Amino acid sequence: MIEERIGVPGIGRIWAALPEARIAGGAVRDTLRGLPVADVDFATPLSPETTMRRLADAKIKTVPTGLAHGTISAIIGRRAFEITTLRRDIETDGRHAVVAFTDNWREDAARRDFTINAMSMTRDGTVFDYFGGQEDLRVGRLRFVGDAATRIAEDYLRILRFFRFFTRYGKGNPDAEAIAAITKCRDGIRKLSAERIWSELKLILSAADPGAAIALMQSTGVLPLILPEGTDVQALNRLLAYGAPADPLMRISALSTENPKNLGARLKLSVNELVKLFVYRLPNRLTPAATDVQLRRALAEDAAEFLITKTWLAQTGEPGWPELRDRIANTPRPIFPLQGRDIVKTGIPAGPLVGDILNLTRRWWKFQGCSADFDMCLEKAKLFAERKA
Ligand code: ATP
Ligand code: MG
């Protein structure tokens, strides 16, 4: 039984209730690759109603998550498995399809996007591969099922999905037919919603190395369609070459030359993402030439994590940046030792003056290098208080 190899608890129970079902799409692809499988999707020739009844008989909870297009979710423990009745396309409009149910496995595979995503597998581990997906997976060839231009015109999202899967499974030169079709059909990207574009772009930019995919997006003319206000591919490539973390926000911050406000509106970023983008675009203050005092001053203001992020985006060809990051990570964050109540204890009545004195003292502490201790700071605070009196 293949479920031991996949290692996702619960799939054996689904197969016991639905022996004719097969796992399909990404789960087959990643099982064959020996990669961990996150989501397991099933396909079945049974109607959604029959599927629900069978699962109910097996005491498996079901939710009709997408009944209209044939998908129900089976809930086992904390996991949800999508089980979809085999389908074929009746009509497409560049994004959505009108589908009909079928009991023909090959028809269902034929409406999937890429050969490596079009395989299915039964419980005994038999792989059904109608379009040469195993061989493509082995050699790293990402290929549309059927005629590339036709498949793109059915659903323009497939252009971005091509780049997404290329980052993960593509090796060497891309499929020439796919690239020609993408170039020809690229304007269809305008049909996609901003949310869709951003969710795909984010996946592309989360890959270990999105460099080749981004270069292809540029040469096919797709990149300027999704980031029309300007891009700096060199800046992204530098970030990749330095080995910066695979953070999609950091990468888009380098790739796009647009200001965060406009970029956020264009791609409909979430509030959290927008905040990150603004932060990433704040000026960097630390370079490899930074002294220990400058380092402590920076850490007094900002957390190490933030400062390190800034160094990735500011890094240039000069040496010393990795060492700078080590220094930032290994320097304890200086904490200004005085609080308002310490000033009050010296006899200053609580009020705005306390804040003023605290600020002056903190500024002195920073100027001095963030190393003065409590007593030294309190002495200084008393001096400021006298001067204010
Ligand atoms: P991931 O591991 O990234 O989730 P996945 O293969 O599971 O990869 P999904 O986007 O979850 O990708 O889609 C599941 C399957 O559904 C795909 O493998 C593919 O067979 C099919 N599919 C999804 N979106 C499309 C599409 N726009 N056009 C054609 N087939 C699609
Ligand atoms: Mg998936």
Side-chain angles (χ1 to χ4, degrees):
M1 306 269 196
I2 198 68
E3 59 249 38
E4 284 90 42
R5 204 167 118 208
I6 299 172
V8 173
I11 61 181
R13 276 188 70 196
I14 300 216
W15 256 321
L18 303 167
E20 59 284 279
R22 301 181 190 168
I23 60 169
V28 183
R29 182 196 64 217
D30 290 342
T31 300
L32 292 174
R33 262 326 275 289
L35 296 173
V37 175
D39 292 324
V40 181
D41 299 329
F42 287 85
T44 175
L46 302 180
S47 71
E49 293 72 27
T50 309
T51 306
M52 293 238 270
R53 200 168 343 108
R54 288 261 207 98
L55 291 166
D57 289 347
K59 306 264 179 305
I60 296 172
K61 185 175 153 48
T62 60
V63 182
T65 39
L67 213 49
H69 53 267
T71 302
I72 60 156
S73 295
I75 314 293
I76 297 182
R78 301 167 140 267
R79 282 177 194 274
F81 299 93
E82 291 202 337
I83 304 168
T84 305
T85 299
L86 300 182
R87 297 172 297 186
R88 63 191 159 84
D89 288 344
I90 299 287
E91 212 181 290
T92 56
D93 67 356
R95 183 62 269 269
H96 302 285
V98 179
V99 295
F101 298 143
T102 172
D103 57 6
N104 186 317
W105 284 95
R106 194 178 195 282
E107 276 186 324
D108 184 82
R111 71 182 292 279
R112 295 177 183 267
D113 45 11
F114 306 109
T115 61
I116 63 169
N117 284 350
M119 296 180 276
S120 56
M121 186 157 70
T122 49
R123 193 179 190 180
D124 63 6
T126 309
V127 176
F128 292 84
D129 176 13
Y130 305 98
F131 305 104
Q134 288 193 83
E135 170 68 4
D136 286 347
L137 192 58
R138 198 177 59 75
V139 301
R141 182 168 54 214
L142 187 61
R143 203 159 52 85
F144 283 93
V145 172
D147 175 66
T150 308
R151 303 309 312 285
I152 291 171
E154 290 168 1
D155 178 1
Y156 291 100
L157 186 67
R158 290 172 188 159
I159 292 180
L160 297 180
R161 290 177 62 87
F162 179 89
F163 296 114
R164 185 226 291 195
F165 289 106
F166 189 79
T167 63
R168 290 198 274 165
Y169 305 97
K171 281 196 213 103
N173 289 332
D175 178 58
E177 186 195 333
I179 292 301
I182 288 170
T183 308
K184 187 177 126 197
C185 305
R186 65 187 176 210
D187 283 324
I189 298 247
R190 296 183 207 277
K191 284 191 178 243
L192 304 177
S193 69
E195 289 88 347
R196 274 289 174 179
I197 292 178
W198 173 231
S199 78
E200 287 298 324
L201 183 58
K202 203 165 20 175
L203 288 168
I204 295 167
L205 291 176
S206 306
D209 183 5
I214 295 291
L216 286 172
M217 289 170 77
Q218 195 179 34
S219 64
T220 52
V222 167
L223 197 60
L225 280 169
I226 60 178
L227 297 171
E229 281 86 5
T231 53
D232 183 351
V233 175
Q234 292 307 319
L236 174 66
N237 286 341
R238 276 198 301 277
L239 199 61
L240 300 177
Y242 298 143
D247 171 355
L249 269 312
M250 196 193 282
R251 287 170 171 179
I252 189 93
S253 176
L255 177 62
S256 166
T257 53
E258 178 62 288
N259 74 56
K261 190 161 163 275
N262 292 351
L263 186 63
R266 157 169 301 284
L267 296 175
K268 299 230 171 87
L269 300 188
S270 71
V271 174
N272 273 341
E273 291 169 340
L274 194 58
V275 167
K276 267 190 153 184
L277 203 59
F278 269 104
V279 166
Y280 288 175
R281 286 285 180 83
L282 293 174
N284 171 59
R285 290 184 293 152
L286 292 176
T287 68
T291 62
D292 286 345
V293 165
Q294 285 170 328
L295 201 71
R296 280 204 302 278
R297 279 186 190 141
L299 279 162
E301 294 300 330
D302 294 309
E305 193 194 352
F306 168 86
L307 295 171
I308 287 172
T309 299
K310 310 288 319 164
T311 67
W312 286 116
L313 286 161
Q315 184 161 349
T316 59
E318 70 177 289
W321 290 87
E323 293 76 8
L324 171 64
R325 281 186 283 272
D326 286 345
R327 285 171 67 208
I328 297 172
N330 294 323
T331 303
R333 193 166 181 188
I335 296 168
F336 179 57
L338 291 193
Q339 290 181 313
R341 59 167 181 266
D342 302 316
I343 310 286
V344 175
K345 272 190 210 149
T346 68
I348 312 274
L353 187 58
V354 173
D356 290 348
I357 292 168
L358 213 54
N359 280 338
L360 281 170
T361 315
R362 189 173 192 281
R363 228 186 286 167
W364 167 81
W365 170 79
K366 262 193 78 182
F367 176 77
Q368 167 279 342
C370 312
S371 58
D373 64 9
F374 180 87
D375 290 338
M376 288 165 79
C377 287
L378 198 63
E379 279 314 302
K380 209 69 197 173
K382 284 180 186 159
L383 277 177
F384 285 129
E386 277 168 30
R387 244 184 267 166
K388 285 255 173 190

